[in-house]
Amino acid sequence: MDITYILQHYWWFLVSLLGALLVFLLFVQGGQSLLFTIGKTELQQKALLSSTGRKWEFTFTTLVTFGGAFFASFPLFYSTSFGGAYWVWILILLCFVLQAVSYEYQTKKGNLLGQKTYQVFLILNGILGPVLIGTAVGTFFNGANFIVNKANLTDVGMPVISSWAPFHGIQLHGLEAALNPWNLLLGLAVFFLARILALLYFINNINEDEIRMRSRKQLIVETALFLVFFLTFLVHLLLQDGFAVDPTDPERKVSMEPYKYLTNFLEMPIVLAVLLIGVVGVLFGIIRTILSASWTKGIWFAGAGTVLTVLALLLCAGWNDTAYYPSLADLQSSLTIENSSSSLFTLKAMSVVSILIPFVLAYIFYAWRALDLRKIDAKEMEDNEPTY
């Protein structure tokens, strides 16, 4: 088997894993969106913000690493999406800037905007962040309006390979993704999943009976909404036409294939098994937490299940001769892991660097455990000093 083929699939796996970890870490955003729903007193709100505030750097760092990995391994996607659909990515970045500023300044004495304003900023980040990221990921399955012409490299005046096509005559630069109901459906599914994970994390991380009781009740509502949006998206995904690459064609032309994503899962049984195990893990973590008033470990089952589920979906989008970033403006401009990857030399060099990933994960585990050794309680919240 060709080494380039192996490395391209290896790096799509790593990028997919980073994306899956990012979706899990969006529980921070989910927790922020629940600030006034779960926290009814100032001390309770402080406890919630302290819980999420100790983890927000993990989410932001993973988002940056996800973008960096895409840039290094599949630069044509990076230049096409980040360069063409830049309004979506600018809005996502602004959401995370608001988050960083809010955690830094909301408890500062004499801040001009007041603590409540910064808390509203956190809620905006908690709502818009997951919805926008989920909507952007939806374009992996439903396509985006771009055109790729590598011949433009010879144009000395403007050697730009990718260009963004207008949407019904209007240049929206990626915002049109939110007008596709199936993209938005996935964005809402990610939003409610983030809130579910946040509630499970609060139950595990905050030793306060009223917060835990309120979180368990809210968990039922969020789960019902999540299942409606996620199952609708999943069923549609399995039944829709997909963007298939012809492996026998020297030009690797892209065409529409009925039930392509369902076929991918059936032809990749390990990926299907990962999906099913992930879904079961999420449901087990939720259901046992709802049924047992004393069980607090649901975040770890649902969190691991989230990572596996998202990983399987992203692998389905790129593996098995599938265009992971389809073009709605020009089908043959669609990006695959073959036509958008870095050179063999770059892929080899990065693969050596990727050996360090387990050490980085070990450090994250150590730092996470150190932060969570002591559960947040009312006594800690009575301290006037910031606790994150």
Side-chain angles (χ1 to χ4, degrees):
M1 189 176 292
D2 182 40
I3 184 63
T4 303
Y5 176 90
I6 295 174
L7 291 177
Q8 287 168 343
H9 284 71
Y10 170 69
W11 272 100
W12 183 254
F13 171 80
L14 291 184
V15 168
S16 299
L17 180 59
L18 285 170
L21 290 171
L22 174 61
V23 173
F24 161 63
L25 291 170
L26 287 176
F27 77 83
V28 173
Q29 276 63 37
Q32 292 165 185
S33 71
L34 291 163
L35 178 60
F36 297 128
T37 303
I38 303 300
K40 299 301 183 182
T41 67
E42 186 175 346
L43 280 180
Q44 289 176 351
Q45 292 167 8
K46 187 177 180 181
L48 297 177
L49 290 176
S50 182
S51 179
T52 57
R54 296 173 181 179
K55 298 295 187 300
W56 76 266
E57 293 97 337
F58 289 113
T59 309
F60 186 75
T61 302
T62 304
L63 176 63
V64 173
T65 306
F66 174 72
F70 243 132
F71 171 73
S73 54
F74 302 101
L76 188 52
F77 166 81
Y78 190 90
S79 65
T80 300
S81 181
F82 286 73
Y86 52 77
W87 279 120
V88 174
W89 299 109
I90 287 176
L91 287 175
I92 292 173
L93 180 60
L94 286 176
C95 285
F96 280 87
V97 170
L98 279 179
Q99 180 191 51
V101 170
S102 299
Y103 276 121
E104 179 66 25
Y105 289 103
Q106 65 173 311
T107 56
K108 296 286 186 182
K109 293 182 179 179
N111 68 69
L112 295 176
L113 299 178
Q115 182 175 1
K116 192 68 69 176
T117 301
Y118 287 113
Q119 290 178 346
V120 171
F121 287 165
L122 288 176
I123 293 175
L124 286 174
N125 171 259
I127 297 172
L128 293 178
V131 172
L132 288 172
I133 290 175
T135 301
V137 172
T139 60
F140 285 5
F141 302 99
N142 300 308
N145 277 11
F146 64 90
I147 298 173
V148 175
N149 186 358
K150 294 184 179 181
N152 285 347
L153 280 175
T154 60
D155 186 346
V156 178
M158 187 175 290
V160 178
I161 296 177
S162 306
S163 59
W164 210 257
F167 180 77
H168 295 301
I170 304 174
Q171 189 59 269
L172 296 178
H173 286 293
L175 293 180
E176 69 274 4
L179 301 178
N180 185 316
W182 301 111
N183 291 341
L184 194 56
L185 202 69
L186 181 59
L188 291 171
V190 171
F191 169 67
F192 288 112
L193 176 61
R195 286 164 69 94
I196 288 171
L197 295 173
L199 293 168
L200 294 172
Y201 185 68
F202 290 154
I203 291 170
N204 177 264
N205 187 241
I206 303 176
N207 189 20
E208 210 278 324
D209 291 339
E210 190 173 345
I211 287 179
R212 286 180 170 174
M213 179 186 67
R214 198 174 291 128
S215 295
R216 291 181 196 277
K217 289 182 178 179
Q218 189 66 29
L219 188 58
I220 299 174
V221 177
E222 305 298 332
T223 300
L225 291 170
F226 164 70
L227 289 176
V228 169
F229 289 110
F230 176 71
L231 292 179
T232 303
F233 171 81
L234 184 61
V235 170
H236 175 264
L237 176 69
L238 297 178
L239 298 180
Q240 75 177 60
D241 294 348
F243 300 83
V245 181
D246 185 355
T248 64
D249 184 358
E251 297 183 6
R252 306 285 287 174
K253 288 187 176 181
V254 179
S255 61
M256 303 304 298
E257 179 181 314
Y259 309 110
K260 172 58 177 172
Y261 300 107
L262 175 60
T263 301
N264 281 358
F265 281 119
L266 295 177
E267 293 181 351
M268 298 186 293
I270 294 178
V271 176
L272 176 60
V274 170
L275 175 70
L276 295 177
I277 293 171
V279 171
V280 170
V282 172
L283 293 178
F284 176 79
I286 294 171
I287 293 172
R288 185 168 180 188
T289 300
I290 293 174
L291 296 179
S292 174
S294 60
W295 199 62
T296 63
K297 305 297 183 182
I299 180 61
W300 306 122
F301 289 91
T306 296
V307 172
L308 293 176
T309 301
V310 177
L311 174 62
L313 288 173
L314 292 177
L315 292 179
C316 178
W319 281 2
N320 200 41
D321 298 312
T322 309
Y324 72 84
Y325 200 47
S327 171
L328 300 177
D330 173 26
L331 196 58
Q332 301 314 315
S333 292
S334 301
L335 301 186
T336 69
I337 60 176
E338 290 87 3
N339 68 18
S340 64
S341 73
S342 295
S343 66
L344 177 59
F345 174 80
T346 303
L347 292 174
K348 283 182 176 180
M350 291 192 306
S351 297
V352 174
V353 176
S354 71
I355 297 174
L356 298 175
I357 291 177
F359 298 97
V360 175
L361 293 177
Y363 171 76
I364 292 174
F365 174 79
Y366 170 79
W368 185 298
R369 193 167 184 274
L371 289 170
D372 283 354
L373 278 178
R374 185 169 179 266
K375 302 296 182 184
I376 297 173
D377 53 27
K379 183 176 182 299
E380 180 182 350
M381 290 304 99
E382 291 171 358
D383 186 358
N384 290 325
E385 292 298 318
T387 52
Y388 48 82

